[in-house]
Amino acid sequence: MLDTEGNRREGGLECVSFTVCGQVYCLNIMMIREIRRWASVTTLPHADAHVLGVINLRGNVIPVFDLAVHFGLGRTEPGPRNVVIIADVEGATSGLLVESVSEILTVDPIDIQDPPRFEKDGHSSLIEGVISVGEEMAQLIDLRHLSHARGDAAA
């Protein structure tokens, strides 16, 4: 495996990088079930703003979240160029609307830096860490907090 600088490394955390509002994020590849093209969703009345709706994924109804709204970056206008990352976290399957998927990164855990903590309204950030990727920074997402936010929204 190659790291972000092209050096060979053994082990490490494999992540899929993607963009939301022009910002680079990444997610542990072990959480990703599949990546799909955007398809329309069934909207849910009175859902939180970051919940786009639900889709039928081979007989299972799963929620689709707009990560841009969740991050406070505005709303994504879904279109044919967008993709939905289907992720499993703690037994819950969710769809994440993103602009595009970029690449698979192998990251040494010591290269993941803690992000500054700015909790809003008592909710924890989805950002687990920050990784330097060449000239850019990628933000590693911890989806366990998204599933907790979903539980809060349903309550």
Side-chain angles (χ1 to χ4, degrees):
M1 301 265 162
L2 299 178
D3 66 11
T4 56
E5 297 172 357
N7 301 317
R8 179 166 293 285
R9 286 191 180 168
E10 297 298 325
L13 176 66
E14 286 191 287
C15 302
V16 172
S17 68
F18 55 91
T19 57
V20 174
C21 292
Q23 300 293 308
V24 180
Y25 296 89
C26 58
L27 181 63
N28 184 335
I29 200 167
M30 297 304 291
M31 293 181 173
I32 297 176
R33 203 164 131 185
E34 65 183 84
I35 299 169
R36 305 170 51 97
R37 286 180 179 217
W38 167 255
S40 63
V41 299
T42 300
T43 57
L44 300 172
H46 309 296
D48 278 355
H50 72 286
V51 179
L52 288 171
V54 293
I55 60 172
N56 182 340
L57 182 66
R58 293 181 283 285
N60 295 309
V61 176
I62 65 167
V64 177
F65 299 96
D66 184 346
L67 284 181
V69 172
H70 194 84
F71 292 146
L73 301 173
R75 187 166 194 80
T76 303
E77 285 301 321
R81 301 187 76 168
N82 295 102
V83 295
V84 175
I85 298 173
I86 307 296
D88 280 325
V89 179
E90 299 177 341
T93 303
S94 302
L96 309 169
L97 175 65
V98 302
E99 290 173 353
S100 63
V101 172
S102 304
E103 61 184 320
I104 296 174
L105 304 171
T106 301
V107 180
D108 189 322
I110 64 171
D111 292 335
I112 301 171
Q113 298 181 22
D114 290 333
R117 294 286 171 205
F118 304 106
E119 293 185 8
K120 181 178 179 184
D121 301 329
H123 294 286
S124 298
S125 169
L126 292 181
I127 307 304
E128 181 178 13
V130 180
I131 305 164
S132 292
V133 181
E135 298 290 320
E136 297 183 276
M137 302 291 286
Q139 300 175 67
L140 179 62
I141 295 176
D142 181 354
L143 286 180
R144 290 175 294 180
H145 294 293
L146 182 64
S147 63
H148 293 155
R150 181 179 61 203
D152 292 345

